Amino acid sequence: MTGDLSRRALLTAIGAAGLASACSAPPAAAPPARKQAAQPRLEAVLAPVGPATVLLALDVTAPGRPGLESVLRELGDRLPRATATVAVGAALFDGRFGLSAPRRLAPMPAFRADVLDPAWCHGDLLVQVSGESADAVAAPLSPPVPGTHERWRIAGHHPPSPDGAVRNLFGFREGSGNPDTGDAALMDRVVWIGPDDGEPGWCVGGTYQVVRLIALAMPTWDRETDQEHERVFGRSKSTGAPLGRVHETDRPDHAADPDGRVIGLDAHIRRANPGEPPRMLRRGYSYHRESDAGQIFISYQRDPEHGFATVQRRLAGEALERYTLPFGGGYFLALPHDDAFPGRAMLGA
């Protein structure tokens, strides 16, 4: 408890508020590989990441299925299909609409170092729009959506980088170690919900979306040396390569470094991935508000327990934890592609 309070005080002193990670539970077994019928995919998940995004969490106030359908049709009319997603949260399946709930969808738990603010967590729906500018992504969501109440909203961007690489506020490259989105078979194993995953049929072709809003202790970080920054992450700041390697895509050889002399035992990449296939597709954006600055972490996976939660528990006590404080976000299921409107199959419309 004392540690949590000191971390809260640290980020409060710089105008932040927050979140982080860990519980003690056995790691989830990997979902089985399977063949999946070809079908349209959510373009916004696979597309190259645009420099701007906005996430809007909504609570549905419209009554009954007709009211929810009206909301989803309105979103379908407004949103650019290639760069936007509509996702559902666990609260939507509380009985108001008589919907069959996704088997793995639950409210996001608080992990070990989290200080979650209920005002910045969860929601019936989560809308994300990405694109080339803040104005462009905000435009479709500027008029209030009839039949909804705004729960929380946050805008993200990619900070300018001298080398043109997508970097976070800590100066490290985003997406290092991500699976290849061009490998359809790999995406089926890691990202897309399939017909044999035990989910309601309307979930097939969708993906579980995890969002974490993380305040960063920038003044504390900025006082550290680049050498310490690299030790914390386990990567080169300039190239993105694992320490002791040359290229960003090189795999670290943890087995040859059992004592952590090259990559520390508490380094972020060593804790996150001890040497296994990817569990999720990660996307990241930075945010700036009047009170703080930080990271919008987004991941997509077939199973949030096997993907995000398993990795998050490993990060408990990592060196990076000193500089981060997660305060919001949630677990959602990004609705599959539908030519009519998002969620049509879910409603049986």
Side-chain angles (χ1 to χ4, degrees):
M1 178 64 73
T2 302
D4 285 344
L5 291 175
S6 63
R7 289 177 69 250
R8 186 201 291 267
L10 168 67
L11 283 131
T12 300
I14 64 168
L19 121 79
S21 80
C23 292
S24 56
R34 75 281 188 262
K35 294 182 180 179
Q36 185 166 310
Q39 63 184 80
R41 294 303 187 206
L42 287 167
E43 296 175 69
V45 172
L46 298 179
V49 180
T53 197
V54 63
L55 290 93
L56 172 64
L58 298 168
D59 289 331
V60 178
T61 57
R65 286 203 192 191
L68 177 58
E69 180 175 337
S70 179
V71 168
L72 293 171
R73 284 185 180 275
E74 172 76 12
L75 289 171
D77 289 342
R78 287 192 191 189
L79 301 176
R81 291 289 177 91
T83 58
T85 55
V86 177
V88 293
L92 194 71
F93 303 92
D94 60 1
R96 284 174 292 162
F97 306 107
L99 300 171
S100 56
R103 187 162 66 91
R104 297 175 176 88
L105 185 60
M108 182 178 70
F111 291 87
R112 186 184 78 112
D114 290 5
V115 186
L116 299 179
D117 180 349
W120 283 93
C121 294
H122 314 307
D124 289 341
L125 301 173
L126 180 72
V127 182
Q128 182 180 1
V129 184
S130 301
E132 294 302 312
S133 70
D135 289 342
V137 300
L141 300 177
S142 293
V145 179
T148 70
H149 171 74
E150 181 173 319
R151 188 177 182 91
W152 54 267
R153 180 192 298 242
I154 196 163
H157 68 283
H158 292 146
S161 174
D163 61 1
V166 176
R167 296 179 181 271
N168 55 41
L169 293 178
F170 282 164
F172 284 84
R173 293 178 180 234
E174 279 293 333
S176 297
N178 254 342
D180 178 6
T181 57
D183 185 334
L186 180 58
M187 290 296 97
D188 278 354
R189 290 196 300 272
V190 175
V191 174
W192 305 120
I193 297 169
D196 57 350
D197 281 340
E199 298 284 8
W202 63 263
C203 298
V204 175
T207 180
Y208 282 99
Q209 180 180 17
V210 174
V211 176
R212 299 273 280 178
L213 309 179
I214 308 171
L216 303 181
M218 294 307 302
T220 303
W221 180 262
D222 289 343
R223 286 195 292 268
E224 306 284 10
T225 64
D226 282 350
Q227 183 178 12
E228 176 62 11
H229 292 167
E230 292 182 340
R231 188 197 72 79
V232 167
F233 271 91
R235 287 189 181 274
S236 162
K237 232 177 171 179
S238 59
T239 67
L243 297 181
R245 298 291 182 173
V246 177
H247 305 292
E248 183 179 5
T249 54
D250 290 345
R251 289 192 173 188
D253 188 355
H254 297 313
D257 181 30
D259 299 322
R261 294 179 182 275
V262 179
I263 297 178
L265 300 181
D266 61 352
H268 181 72
I269 68 166
R270 187 159 191 152
R271 290 291 188 89
N273 188 348
E276 61 183 20
R279 290 175 175 263
M280 55 188 164
L281 172 65
R282 294 171 288 111
R283 304 296 197 193
Y285 286 88
S286 300
Y287 75 80
H288 284 89
R289 301 185 297 176
E290 290 184 3
S291 60
D292 67 317
Q295 181 80 356
I296 303 171
F297 171 92
I298 303 166
S299 69
Y300 301 98
Q301 53 266 291
R302 283 171 61 196
D303 179 343
E305 174 61 29
H306 170 70
F308 169 78
T310 294
V311 174
Q312 189 68 10
R313 283 192 291 268
R314 289 177 184 159
L315 296 176
E318 64 166 335
L320 186 61
E321 194 174 88
R322 180 186 176 206
Y323 308 96
T324 63
L325 192 63
F327 64 92
Y331 287 1
F332 302 90
L333 189 149
L335 293 169
H337 171 89
D338 196 296
D339 288 328
F341 64 91
R344 181 191 60 83
M346 176 181 70
L347 294 172

